[in-house]
Amino acid sequence: SPEETWELLRLRAVPEKGLRHARAVGQVACALAEALLAARRAAPTAGAALRPDLALAGGLAHDIAKGQARHEAAGAALLESLDLPDLAALVRDHRDLSLPDAQPVTERELVYLADKYCWGGQFVPVAQRFGQKLEAFAGDAAACAAIRGRLGRAQALEARLARELGRAPAAIAQETLARLGKAMPGCGGAAGPATEGSGRAEGSAQAFGAARG
């Protein structure tokens, strides 16, 4: 559950900076899942089911092994060892992925895209997020080619999701993070995890959103 995921981050002594980013990505992934689920329910032919609570937990956990080599694989291995295979799958692919046209968007893709929208706890457009990386590796042609490939895949997913949602997913991310910054109720409708100084999570199972003042 999201509560258990949050407690796991606390047990691993993830610093407040990491917790802020985890909260942001979890909230954006959850909001995208809720919006996509609503769009699918309203469509003439219902699409694949989604679990916003799983998207939230995946967003919280995505950087659980940050600082380790290939942190996405290390995080997935940790979660597999804890018998959390669904969560591990979301963490494993959050850095880069591609999705064939015949396959539906799932929580996996939503966690991946949510991460691209969050610079720490702040909103950043996908192109700007990857533009920062291109500037950082400007002298490395191979690295820049790889970054451009990742940017293209992220933009392709963003465009596909916009078509299914009927609105820009970036707008949903920006609205979600604005609410989070104002300590307003997050995904699921309730206040979210405690901030500095608290060793426990607060809030509902579906609402690890805004930090309480």
Side-chain angles (χ1 to χ4, degrees), residues 25-26 28-30 32 54-62 87 90-91 93-94 97 106-117 157:
V25 176
V28 171
C30 183
L32 291 173
L54 178 59
L56 173 53
L60 287 172
H62 78 285
L87 202 54
L90 305 188
V91 171
D93 293 331
H94 82 266
L97 57 76
T106 67
E107 297 89 352
R108 167 182 174 260
E109 290 75 36
L110 300 180
V111 169
Y112 160 81
L113 192 58
D115 181 42
K116 306 303 174 278
Y117 287 137
L157 177 61

